[in-house]
Amino acid sequence: MFKRDVQTIKDLILRNLHEQGLETPLLQKRLVEVWPKIAGPVIARYTLNTYIYNQTLYVRLSNPALRSDLSMRRQEFTQLLNAYVGEQVITDVRFG
């Protein structure tokens, strides 16, 4: 008998995404989509727009007082978001 190299479909897909350079954009998309869950319903209600540029998550808020308060928690949000996706996708969070 011969030995087979058995791999899971998940491993094959992840390896293929990594080889094609599509892994990071996929992780960035997951990170942007999870912002309301990590931030909570109150913060999500005041969030107008979120996007990633140069490893920084930009969050546009409609409430200036909330923006000021969240700016002090930037590092906490950075760690929570990176932990959720399992890799260091962003290095900072900016509120505007």
mmCIF file of all heavy atoms in Angstrom, residues 41-91:
data_model
loop_
_atom_site.group_PDB
_atom_site.id
_atom_site.type_symbol
_atom_site.label_atom_id
_atom_site.label_comp_id
_atom_site.label_asym_id
_atom_site.label_seq_id
_atom_site.Cartn_x
_atom_site.Cartn_y
_atom_site.Cartn_z
ATOM 1 N N PRO A 41 -23.140 47.435 20.210
ATOM 2 C CA PRO A 41 -24.270 48.025 19.477
ATOM 3 C C PRO A 41 -24.357 49.546 19.576
ATOM 4 O O PRO A 41 -24.770 50.201 18.624
ATOM 5 C CB PRO A 41 -25.493 47.357 20.104
ATOM 6 C CG PRO A 41 -25.035 46.840 21.414
ATOM 7 C CD PRO A 41 -23.574 46.549 21.270
ATOM 8 N N VAL A 42 -23.972 50.116 20.700
ATOM 9 C CA VAL A 42 -24.061 51.577 20.854
ATOM 10 C C VAL A 42 -23.073 52.272 19.930
ATOM 11 O O VAL A 42 -23.427 53.216 19.216
ATOM 12 C CB VAL A 42 -23.818 51.985 22.325
ATOM 13 C CG1 VAL A 42 -23.786 53.497 22.461
ATOM 14 C CG2 VAL A 42 -24.887 51.387 23.221
ATOM 15 N N ILE A 43 -21.841 51.814 19.935
ATOM 16 C CA ILE A 43 -20.818 52.414 19.067
ATOM 17 C C ILE A 43 -21.149 52.154 17.602
ATOM 18 O O ILE A 43 -20.993 53.037 16.756
ATOM 19 C CB ILE A 43 -19.418 51.893 19.441
ATOM 20 C CG1 ILE A 43 -19.075 52.300 20.878
ATOM 21 C CG2 ILE A 43 -18.366 52.389 18.466
ATOM 22 C CD1 ILE A 43 -17.829 51.662 21.431
ATOM 23 N N ALA A 44 -21.632 50.958 17.298
ATOM 24 C CA ALA A 44 -21.975 50.615 15.917
ATOM 25 C C ALA A 44 -23.077 51.524 15.376
ATOM 26 O O ALA A 44 -23.082 51.858 14.190
ATOM 27 C CB ALA A 44 -22.402 49.156 15.835
ATOM 28 N N ARG A 45 -23.978 51.961 16.238
ATOM 29 C CA ARG A 45 -25.068 52.835 15.812
ATOM 30 C C ARG A 45 -24.528 54.197 15.341
ATOM 31 O O ARG A 45 -25.096 54.821 14.453
ATOM 32 C CB ARG A 45 -26.040 53.037 16.972
ATOM 33 C CG ARG A 45 -27.257 53.839 16.618
ATOM 34 C CD ARG A 45 -28.240 53.901 17.731
ATOM 35 N NE ARG A 45 -27.592 53.635 19.016
ATOM 36 C CZ ARG A 45 -28.182 53.727 20.183
ATOM 37 N NH1 ARG A 45 -29.427 54.074 20.251
ATOM 38 N NH2 ARG A 45 -27.535 53.469 21.303
ATOM 39 N N TYR A 46 -23.426 54.656 15.924
ATOM 40 C CA TYR A 46 -22.839 55.946 15.550
ATOM 41 C C TYR A 46 -21.750 55.816 14.482
ATOM 42 O O TYR A 46 -21.176 56.811 14.070
ATOM 43 C CB TYR A 46 -22.262 56.643 16.780
ATOM 44 C CG TYR A 46 -23.333 57.092 17.754
ATOM 45 C CD1 TYR A 46 -23.553 56.401 18.930
ATOM 46 C CD2 TYR A 46 -24.119 58.202 17.478
ATOM 47 C CE1 TYR A 46 -24.533 56.801 19.822
ATOM 48 C CE2 TYR A 46 -25.103 58.616 18.365
ATOM 49 C CZ TYR A 46 -25.306 57.911 19.530
ATOM 50 O OH TYR A 46 -26.292 58.302 20.405
ATOM 51 N N THR A 47 -21.455 54.608 14.051
ATOM 52 C CA THR A 47 -20.444 54.384 13.031
ATOM 53 C C THR A 47 -21.032 54.640 11.653
ATOM 54 O O THR A 47 -22.038 54.054 11.277
ATOM 55 C CB THR A 47 -19.900 52.948 13.108
ATOM 56 O OG1 THR A 47 -19.332 52.732 14.401
ATOM 57 C CG2 THR A 47 -18.832 52.710 12.057
ATOM 58 N N LEU A 48 -20.384 55.520 10.898
ATOM 59 C CA LEU A 48 -20.850 55.851 9.552
ATOM 60 C C LEU A 48 -20.117 55.046 8.487
ATOM 61 O O LEU A 48 -20.706 54.633 7.497
ATOM 62 C CB LEU A 48 -20.663 57.348 9.280
ATOM 63 C CG LEU A 48 -21.404 58.293 10.217
ATOM 64 C CD1 LEU A 48 -21.023 59.738 9.920
ATOM 65 C CD2 LEU A 48 -22.893 58.097 10.108
ATOM 66 N N ASN A 49 -18.801 54.838 8.681
ATOM 67 C CA ASN A 49 -17.991 54.185 7.662
ATOM 68 C C ASN A 49 -16.751 53.583 8.306
ATOM 69 O O ASN A 49 -16.201 54.156 9.252
ATOM 70 C CB ASN A 49 -17.586 55.211 6.591
ATOM 71 C CG ASN A 49 -16.955 54.565 5.391
ATOM 72 O OD1 ASN A 49 -17.091 53.370 5.175
ATOM 73 N ND2 ASN A 49 -16.262 55.366 4.592
ATOM 74 N N THR A 50 -16.304 52.439 7.801
ATOM 75 C CA THR A 50 -15.048 51.832 8.245
ATOM 76 C C THR A 50 -14.296 51.325 7.023
ATOM 77 O O THR A 50 -14.898 50.783 6.099
ATOM 78 C CB THR A 50 -15.285 50.643 9.203
ATOM 79 O OG1 THR A 50 -16.136 49.700 8.570
ATOM 80 C CG2 THR A 50 -15.894 51.079 10.512
ATOM 81 N N TYR A 51 -12.977 51.542 7.023
ATOM 82 C CA TYR A 51 -12.133 51.019 5.954
ATOM 83 C C TYR A 51 -10.700 50.916 6.464
ATOM 84 O O TYR A 51 -10.336 51.516 7.471
ATOM 85 C CB TYR A 51 -12.201 51.894 4.697
ATOM 86 C CG TYR A 51 -11.693 53.305 4.882
ATOM 87 C CD1 TYR A 51 -10.374 53.634 4.588
ATOM 88 C CD2 TYR A 51 -12.537 54.308 5.342
ATOM 89 C CE1 TYR A 51 -9.907 54.926 4.758
ATOM 90 C CE2 TYR A 51 -12.086 55.601 5.512
ATOM 91 C CZ TYR A 51 -10.766 55.902 5.218
ATOM 92 O OH TYR A 51 -10.311 57.177 5.385
ATOM 93 N N ILE A 52 -9.891 50.140 5.767
ATOM 94 C CA ILE A 52 -8.487 49.944 6.130
ATOM 95 C C ILE A 52 -7.615 50.548 5.040
ATOM 96 O O ILE A 52 -7.830 50.310 3.848
ATOM 97 C CB ILE A 52 -8.165 48.453 6.308
ATOM 98 C CG1 ILE A 52 -8.951 47.879 7.482
ATOM 99 C CG2 ILE A 52 -6.661 48.254 6.521
ATOM 100 C CD1 ILE A 52 -8.772 46.403 7.686
ATOM 101 N N TYR A 53 -6.624 51.321 5.474
ATOM 102 C CA TYR A 53 -5.653 51.899 4.561
ATOM 103 C C TYR A 53 -4.302 51.894 5.269
ATOM 104 O O TYR A 53 -4.182 52.405 6.385
ATOM 105 C CB TYR A 53 -6.060 53.325 4.177
ATOM 106 C CG TYR A 53 -5.110 53.985 3.215
ATOM 107 C CD1 TYR A 53 -5.080 53.594 1.881
ATOM 108 C CD2 TYR A 53 -4.236 54.971 3.636
ATOM 109 C CE1 TYR A 53 -4.210 54.187 0.992
ATOM 110 C CE2 TYR A 53 -3.366 55.572 2.760
ATOM 111 C CZ TYR A 53 -3.353 55.176 1.434
ATOM 112 O OH TYR A 53 -2.478 55.763 0.560
ATOM 113 N N ASN A 54 -3.285 51.303 4.644
ATOM 114 C CA ASN A 54 -1.933 51.216 5.215
ATOM 115 C C ASN A 54 -1.933 50.630 6.625
ATOM 116 O O ASN A 54 -1.346 51.192 7.545
ATOM 117 C CB ASN A 54 -1.246 52.580 5.214
ATOM 118 C CG ASN A 54 -0.788 52.995 3.848
ATOM 119 O OD1 ASN A 54 -0.641 52.169 2.953
ATOM 120 N ND2 ASN A 54 -0.560 54.275 3.664
ATOM 121 N N GLN A 55 -2.586 49.508 6.799
ATOM 122 C CA GLN A 55 -2.651 48.779 8.059
ATOM 123 C C GLN A 55 -3.271 49.590 9.201
ATOM 124 O O GLN A 55 -3.013 49.339 10.358
ATOM 125 C CB GLN A 55 -1.274 48.268 8.479
ATOM 126 C CG GLN A 55 -0.711 47.220 7.546
ATOM 127 C CD GLN A 55 0.590 46.657 8.070
ATOM 128 O OE1 GLN A 55 1.378 47.363 8.677
ATOM 129 N NE2 GLN A 55 0.801 45.384 7.838
ATOM 130 N N THR A 56 -4.093 50.563 8.864
ATOM 131 C CA THR A 56 -4.803 51.358 9.864
ATOM 132 C C THR A 56 -6.292 51.271 9.563
ATOM 133 O O THR A 56 -6.712 51.492 8.437
ATOM 134 C CB THR A 56 -4.356 52.831 9.814
ATOM 135 O OG1 THR A 56 -2.946 52.891 10.074
ATOM 136 C CG2 THR A 56 -5.077 53.656 10.855
ATOM 137 N N LEU A 57 -7.067 50.938 10.594
ATOM 138 C CA LEU A 57 -8.518 50.915 10.456
ATOM 139 C C LEU A 57 -9.036 52.312 10.746
ATOM 140 O O LEU A 57 -8.791 52.866 11.817
ATOM 141 C CB LEU A 57 -9.143 49.909 11.433
ATOM 142 C CG LEU A 57 -10.675 49.880 11.463
ATOM 143 C CD1 LEU A 57 -11.227 49.359 10.143
ATOM 144 C CD2 LEU A 57 -11.170 49.050 12.622
ATOM 145 N N TYR A 58 -9.724 52.889 9.780
ATOM 146 C CA TYR A 58 -10.330 54.208 9.947
ATOM 147 C C TYR A 58 -11.817 54.020 10.212
ATOM 148 O O TYR A 58 -12.506 53.342 9.450
ATOM 149 C CB TYR A 58 -10.121 55.070 8.698
ATOM 150 C CG TYR A 58 -8.686 55.471 8.515
ATOM 151 C CD1 TYR A 58 -7.811 54.686 7.772
ATOM 152 C CD2 TYR A 58 -8.196 56.635 9.095
ATOM 153 C CE1 TYR A 58 -6.482 55.055 7.602
ATOM 154 C CE2 TYR A 58 -6.875 57.012 8.931
ATOM 155 C CZ TYR A 58 -6.028 56.219 8.195
ATOM 156 O OH TYR A 58 -4.711 56.583 8.041
ATOM 157 N N VAL A 59 -12.289 54.616 11.298
ATOM 158 C CA VAL A 59 -13.688 54.519 11.689
ATOM 159 C C VAL A 59 -14.254 55.929 11.738
ATOM 160 O O VAL A 59 -13.794 56.757 12.523
ATOM 161 C CB VAL A 59 -13.840 53.834 13.064
ATOM 162 C CG1 VAL A 59 -15.300 53.745 13.451
ATOM 163 C CG2 VAL A 59 -13.183 52.460 13.063
ATOM 164 N N ARG A 60 -15.237 56.200 10.897
ATOM 165 C CA ARG A 60 -15.882 57.518 10.875
ATOM 166 C C ARG A 60 -17.111 57.464 11.764
ATOM 167 O O ARG A 60 -17.980 56.617 11.578
ATOM 168 C CB ARG A 60 -16.265 57.882 9.445
ATOM 169 C CG ARG A 60 -16.746 59.284 9.328
ATOM 170 C CD ARG A 60 -16.779 59.729 7.881
ATOM 171 N NE ARG A 60 -17.491 60.981 7.814
ATOM 172 C CZ ARG A 60 -18.634 61.154 7.167
ATOM 173 N NH1 ARG A 60 -19.156 60.169 6.486
ATOM 174 N NH2 ARG A 60 -19.235 62.315 7.172
ATOM 175 N N LEU A 61 -17.151 58.352 12.746
ATOM 176 C CA LEU A 61 -18.242 58.387 13.718
ATOM 177 C C LEU A 61 -19.044 59.675 13.589
ATOM 178 O O LEU A 61 -18.502 60.721 13.220
ATOM 179 C CB LEU A 61 -17.686 58.279 15.144
ATOM 180 C CG LEU A 61 -16.902 57.005 15.455
ATOM 181 C CD1 LEU A 61 -16.171 57.143 16.769
ATOM 182 C CD2 LEU A 61 -17.827 55.806 15.487
ATOM 183 N N SER A 62 -20.322 59.609 13.939
ATOM 184 C CA SER A 62 -21.184 60.786 13.853
ATOM 185 C C SER A 62 -21.241 61.572 15.157
ATOM 186 O O SER A 62 -21.798 62.661 15.187
ATOM 187 C CB SER A 62 -22.602 60.366 13.452
ATOM 188 O OG SER A 62 -23.153 59.507 14.433
ATOM 189 N N ASN A 63 -20.643 61.049 16.224
ATOM 190 C CA ASN A 63 -20.706 61.691 17.529
ATOM 191 C C ASN A 63 -19.300 62.129 17.964
ATOM 192 O O ASN A 63 -18.453 61.282 18.251
ATOM 193 C CB ASN A 63 -21.299 60.723 18.549
ATOM 194 C CG ASN A 63 -21.553 61.350 19.887
ATOM 195 O OD1 ASN A 63 -20.805 62.202 20.332
ATOM 196 N ND2 ASN A 63 -22.614 60.912 20.541
ATOM 197 N N PRO A 64 -19.025 63.441 18.047
ATOM 198 C CA PRO A 64 -17.682 63.915 18.410
ATOM 199 C C PRO A 64 -17.243 63.494 19.821
ATOM 200 O O PRO A 64 -16.070 63.203 20.038
ATOM 201 C CB PRO A 64 -17.782 65.436 18.319
ATOM 202 C CG PRO A 64 -19.011 65.711 17.550
ATOM 203 C CD PRO A 64 -19.910 64.538 17.697
ATOM 204 N N ALA A 65 -18.158 63.451 20.766
ATOM 205 C CA ALA A 65 -17.793 63.050 22.132
ATOM 206 C C ALA A 65 -17.372 61.588 22.167
ATOM 207 O O ALA A 65 -16.399 61.220 22.832
ATOM 208 C CB ALA A 65 -18.958 63.292 23.079
ATOM 209 N N LEU A 66 -18.080 60.749 21.429
ATOM 210 C CA LEU A 66 -17.734 59.333 21.348
ATOM 211 C C LEU A 66 -16.390 59.159 20.655
ATOM 212 O O LEU A 66 -15.571 58.333 21.060
ATOM 213 C CB LEU A 66 -18.827 58.581 20.600
ATOM 214 C CG LEU A 66 -18.663 57.075 20.475
ATOM 215 C CD1 LEU A 66 -18.633 56.424 21.849
ATOM 216 C CD2 LEU A 66 -19.777 56.496 19.630
ATOM 217 N N ARG A 67 -16.145 59.953 19.629
ATOM 218 C CA ARG A 67 -14.870 59.912 18.908
ATOM 219 C C ARG A 67 -13.708 60.194 19.853
ATOM 220 O O ARG A 67 -12.702 59.494 19.854
ATOM 221 C CB ARG A 67 -14.902 60.946 17.780
ATOM 222 C CG ARG A 67 -13.698 60.951 16.898
ATOM 223 C CD ARG A 67 -13.781 62.007 15.816
ATOM 224 N NE ARG A 67 -15.122 62.152 15.269
ATOM 225 C CZ ARG A 67 -15.686 63.315 14.998
ATOM 226 N NH1 ARG A 67 -15.042 64.452 15.200
ATOM 227 N NH2 ARG A 67 -16.909 63.371 14.508
ATOM 228 N N SER A 68 -13.859 61.180 20.694
ATOM 229 C CA SER A 68 -12.822 61.538 21.655
ATOM 230 C C SER A 68 -12.601 60.421 22.667
ATOM 231 O O SER A 68 -11.466 60.077 22.998
ATOM 232 C CB SER A 68 -13.208 62.830 22.364
ATOM 233 O OG SER A 68 -12.299 63.132 23.377
ATOM 234 N N ASP A 69 -13.680 59.848 23.154
ATOM 235 C CA ASP A 69 -13.590 58.770 24.136
ATOM 236 C C ASP A 69 -12.919 57.528 23.549
ATOM 237 O O ASP A 69 -12.059 56.909 24.175
ATOM 238 C CB ASP A 69 -14.991 58.427 24.644
ATOM 239 C CG ASP A 69 -14.970 57.356 25.720
ATOM 240 O OD1 ASP A 69 -14.134 57.470 26.648
ATOM 241 O OD2 ASP A 69 -15.785 56.416 25.635
ATOM 242 N N LEU A 70 -13.300 57.164 22.325
ATOM 243 C CA LEU A 70 -12.742 55.965 21.705
ATOM 244 C C LEU A 70 -11.286 56.141 21.305
ATOM 245 O O LEU A 70 -10.546 55.158 21.225
ATOM 246 C CB LEU A 70 -13.580 55.566 20.492
ATOM 247 C CG LEU A 70 -14.996 55.089 20.792
ATOM 248 C CD1 LEU A 70 -15.713 54.737 19.504
ATOM 249 C CD2 LEU A 70 -14.991 53.914 21.739
ATOM 250 N N SER A 71 -10.865 57.363 21.057
ATOM 251 C CA SER A 71 -9.464 57.603 20.698
ATOM 252 C C SER A 71 -8.520 57.163 21.802
ATOM 253 O O SER A 71 -7.388 56.759 21.540
ATOM 254 C CB SER A 71 -9.244 59.074 20.372
ATOM 255 O OG SER A 71 -9.902 59.409 19.177
ATOM 256 N N MET A 72 -8.994 57.224 23.031
ATOM 257 C CA MET A 72 -8.161 56.777 24.149
ATOM 258 C C MET A 72 -8.090 55.252 24.241
ATOM 259 O O MET A 72 -7.237 54.722 24.942
ATOM 260 C CB MET A 72 -8.696 57.360 25.456
ATOM 261 C CG MET A 72 -8.520 58.857 25.549
ATOM 262 S SD MET A 72 -9.067 59.484 27.114
ATOM 263 C CE MET A 72 -10.670 60.104 26.667
ATOM 264 N N ARG A 73 -8.972 54.550 23.543
ATOM 265 C CA ARG A 73 -9.017 53.085 23.590
ATOM 266 C C ARG A 73 -8.523 52.455 22.284
ATOM 267 O O ARG A 73 -8.824 51.288 22.003
ATOM 268 C CB ARG A 73 -10.444 52.633 23.873
ATOM 269 C CG ARG A 73 -10.966 53.125 25.204
ATOM 270 C CD ARG A 73 -12.412 52.758 25.434
ATOM 271 N NE ARG A 73 -12.642 51.327 25.267
ATOM 272 C CZ ARG A 73 -13.846 50.796 25.031
ATOM 273 N NH1 ARG A 73 -14.893 51.559 24.946
ATOM 274 N NH2 ARG A 73 -13.973 49.498 24.893
ATOM 275 N N ARG A 74 -7.749 53.206 21.506
ATOM 276 C CA ARG A 74 -7.282 52.728 20.200
ATOM 277 C C ARG A 74 -6.511 51.422 20.301
ATOM 278 O O ARG A 74 -6.744 50.489 19.536
ATOM 279 C CB ARG A 74 -6.392 53.777 19.535
ATOM 280 C CG ARG A 74 -7.154 54.949 19.042
ATOM 281 C CD ARG A 74 -6.327 56.009 18.370
ATOM 282 N NE ARG A 74 -4.946 55.684 18.123
ATOM 283 C CZ ARG A 74 -3.956 56.562 18.120
ATOM 284 N NH1 ARG A 74 -4.213 57.817 18.354
ATOM 285 N NH2 ARG A 74 -2.725 56.202 17.860
ATOM 286 N N GLN A 75 -5.590 51.348 21.239
ATOM 287 C CA GLN A 75 -4.755 50.160 21.378
ATOM 288 C C GLN A 75 -5.588 48.936 21.743
ATOM 289 O O GLN A 75 -5.347 47.837 21.243
ATOM 290 C CB GLN A 75 -3.662 50.410 22.430
ATOM 291 C CG GLN A 75 -2.511 49.447 22.360
ATOM 292 C CD GLN A 75 -1.754 49.556 21.042
ATOM 293 O OE1 GLN A 75 -1.757 50.579 20.367
ATOM 294 N NE2 GLN A 75 -1.104 48.482 20.662
ATOM 295 N N GLU A 76 -6.570 49.127 22.602
ATOM 296 C CA GLU A 76 -7.451 48.030 23.008
ATOM 297 C C GLU A 76 -8.206 47.475 21.799
ATOM 298 O O GLU A 76 -8.286 46.254 21.601
ATOM 299 C CB GLU A 76 -8.437 48.525 24.064
ATOM 300 C CG GLU A 76 -9.458 47.501 24.480
ATOM 301 C CD GLU A 76 -10.520 48.089 25.384
ATOM 302 O OE1 GLU A 76 -10.372 49.226 25.867
ATOM 303 O OE2 GLU A 76 -11.529 47.380 25.604
ATOM 304 N N PHE A 77 -8.768 48.371 20.973
ATOM 305 C CA PHE A 77 -9.496 47.924 19.794
ATOM 306 C C PHE A 77 -8.572 47.240 18.790
ATOM 307 O O PHE A 77 -8.953 46.246 18.162
ATOM 308 C CB PHE A 77 -10.230 49.093 19.128
ATOM 309 C CG PHE A 77 -11.502 49.468 19.817
ATOM 310 C CD1 PHE A 77 -11.649 50.719 20.385
ATOM 311 C CD2 PHE A 77 -12.555 48.580 19.911
ATOM 312 C CE1 PHE A 77 -12.819 51.077 21.021
ATOM 313 C CE2 PHE A 77 -13.732 48.921 20.550
ATOM 314 C CZ PHE A 77 -13.868 50.171 21.108
ATOM 315 N N THR A 78 -7.371 47.740 18.645
ATOM 316 C CA THR A 78 -6.400 47.121 17.733
ATOM 317 C C THR A 78 -6.134 45.680 18.150
ATOM 318 O O THR A 78 -6.159 44.769 17.319
ATOM 319 C CB THR A 78 -5.087 47.924 17.713
ATOM 320 O OG1 THR A 78 -5.366 49.265 17.320
ATOM 321 C CG2 THR A 78 -4.084 47.321 16.748
ATOM 322 N N GLN A 79 -5.892 45.463 19.425
ATOM 323 C CA GLN A 79 -5.617 44.119 19.919
ATOM 324 C C GLN A 79 -6.823 43.201 19.779
ATOM 325 O O GLN A 79 -6.685 42.043 19.366
ATOM 326 C CB GLN A 79 -5.159 44.181 21.372
ATOM 327 C CG GLN A 79 -3.813 44.822 21.550
ATOM 328 C CD GLN A 79 -3.454 45.054 23.014
ATOM 329 O OE1 GLN A 79 -4.279 44.861 23.898
ATOM 330 N NE2 GLN A 79 -2.228 45.482 23.263
ATOM 331 N N LEU A 80 -8.008 43.694 20.108
ATOM 332 C CA LEU A 80 -9.225 42.875 20.007
ATOM 333 C C LEU A 80 -9.514 42.465 18.563
ATOM 334 O O LEU A 80 -9.849 41.301 18.295
ATOM 335 C CB LEU A 80 -10.424 43.636 20.571
ATOM 336 C CG LEU A 80 -10.503 43.787 22.076
ATOM 337 C CD1 LEU A 80 -11.627 44.739 22.471
ATOM 338 C CD2 LEU A 80 -10.707 42.436 22.738
ATOM 339 N N LEU A 81 -9.384 43.398 17.645
ATOM 340 C CA LEU A 81 -9.673 43.103 16.245
ATOM 341 C C LEU A 81 -8.661 42.120 15.655
ATOM 342 O O LEU A 81 -9.039 41.181 14.955
ATOM 343 C CB LEU A 81 -9.707 44.392 15.432
ATOM 344 C CG LEU A 81 -10.907 45.294 15.722
ATOM 345 C CD1 LEU A 81 -10.656 46.704 15.215
ATOM 346 C CD2 LEU A 81 -12.172 44.724 15.112
ATOM 347 N N ASN A 82 -7.386 42.321 15.932
ATOM 348 C CA ASN A 82 -6.366 41.395 15.439
ATOM 349 C C ASN A 82 -6.542 40.008 16.045
ATOM 350 O O ASN A 82 -6.357 39.000 15.364
ATOM 351 C CB ASN A 82 -4.960 41.927 15.733
ATOM 352 C CG ASN A 82 -4.557 43.022 14.774
ATOM 353 O OD1 ASN A 82 -4.969 43.047 13.630
ATOM 354 N ND2 ASN A 82 -3.741 43.940 15.254
ATOM 355 N N ALA A 83 -6.900 39.946 17.306
ATOM 356 C CA ALA A 83 -7.125 38.654 17.963
ATOM 357 C C ALA A 83 -8.312 37.937 17.326
ATOM 358 O O ALA A 83 -8.297 36.709 17.188
ATOM 359 C CB ALA A 83 -7.351 38.850 19.452
ATOM 360 N N TYR A 84 -9.321 38.681 16.929
ATOM 361 C CA TYR A 84 -10.507 38.058 16.336
ATOM 362 C C TYR A 84 -10.181 37.375 15.015
ATOM 363 O O TYR A 84 -10.656 36.277 14.751
ATOM 364 C CB TYR A 84 -11.620 39.086 16.139
ATOM 365 C CG TYR A 84 -12.902 38.453 15.666
ATOM 366 C CD1 TYR A 84 -13.799 37.924 16.578
ATOM 367 C CD2 TYR A 84 -13.191 38.356 14.312
ATOM 368 C CE1 TYR A 84 -14.973 37.324 16.148
ATOM 369 C CE2 TYR A 84 -14.356 37.753 13.876
ATOM 370 C CZ TYR A 84 -15.243 37.240 14.794
ATOM 371 O OH TYR A 84 -16.391 36.635 14.364
ATOM 372 N N VAL A 85 -9.383 38.022 14.169
ATOM 373 C CA VAL A 85 -9.048 37.420 12.878
ATOM 374 C C VAL A 85 -7.856 36.474 12.973
ATOM 375 O O VAL A 85 -7.585 35.739 12.039
ATOM 376 C CB VAL A 85 -8.807 38.483 11.778
ATOM 377 C CG1 VAL A 85 -10.061 39.248 11.486
ATOM 378 C CG2 VAL A 85 -7.678 39.401 12.115
ATOM 379 N N GLY A 86 -7.132 36.497 14.077
ATOM 380 C CA GLY A 86 -6.050 35.544 14.282
ATOM 381 C C GLY A 86 -4.703 35.944 13.734
ATOM 382 O O GLY A 86 -3.764 35.161 13.778
ATOM 383 N N GLU A 87 -4.566 37.125 13.207
ATOM 384 C CA GLU A 87 -3.288 37.634 12.693
ATOM 385 C C GLU A 87 -3.230 39.136 12.890
ATOM 386 O O GLU A 87 -4.249 39.779 13.102
ATOM 387 C CB GLU A 87 -3.147 37.334 11.194
ATOM 388 C CG GLU A 87 -2.817 35.903 10.886
ATOM 389 C CD GLU A 87 -2.426 35.729 9.437
ATOM 390 O OE1 GLU A 87 -1.748 36.624 8.895
ATOM 391 O OE2 GLU A 87 -2.792 34.709 8.856
ATOM 392 N N GLN A 88 -2.029 39.684 12.779
ATOM 393 C CA GLN A 88 -1.888 41.133 12.882
ATOM 394 C C GLN A 88 -2.167 41.748 11.511
ATOM 395 O O GLN A 88 -1.308 41.802 10.644
ATOM 396 C CB GLN A 88 -0.512 41.551 13.364
ATOM 397 C CG GLN A 88 -0.437 43.052 13.542
ATOM 398 C CD GLN A 88 0.855 43.513 14.171
ATOM 399 O OE1 GLN A 88 1.630 42.718 14.648
ATOM 400 N NE2 GLN A 88 1.065 44.811 14.156
ATOM 401 N N VAL A 89 -3.394 42.218 11.356
ATOM 402 C CA VAL A 89 -3.821 42.818 10.095
ATOM 403 C C VAL A 89 -3.671 44.328 10.162
ATOM 404 O O VAL A 89 -3.291 44.963 9.189
ATOM 405 C CB VAL A 89 -5.284 42.426 9.791
ATOM 406 C CG1 VAL A 89 -5.779 43.083 8.523
ATOM 407 C CG2 VAL A 89 -5.402 40.913 9.684
ATOM 408 N N ILE A 90 -3.976 44.913 11.331
ATOM 409 C CA ILE A 90 -3.881 46.367 11.484
ATOM 410 C C ILE A 90 -2.899 46.688 12.607
ATOM 411 O O ILE A 90 -2.653 45.877 13.495
ATOM 412 C CB ILE A 90 -5.255 47.009 11.791
ATOM 413 C CG1 ILE A 90 -5.858 46.432 13.063
ATOM 414 C CG2 ILE A 90 -6.183 46.880 10.614
ATOM 415 C CD1 ILE A 90 -7.090 47.155 13.550
ATOM 416 N N THR A 91 -2.345 47.894 12.546
ATOM 417 C CA THR A 91 -1.428 48.347 13.582
ATOM 418 C C THR A 91 -2.006 49.479 14.401
ATOM 419 O O THR A 91 -1.469 49.835 15.451
ATOM 420 C CB THR A 91 -0.090 48.821 12.974
ATOM 421 O OG1 THR A 91 -0.354 49.845 12.015
ATOM 422 C CG2 THR A 91 0.640 47.656 12.315
#
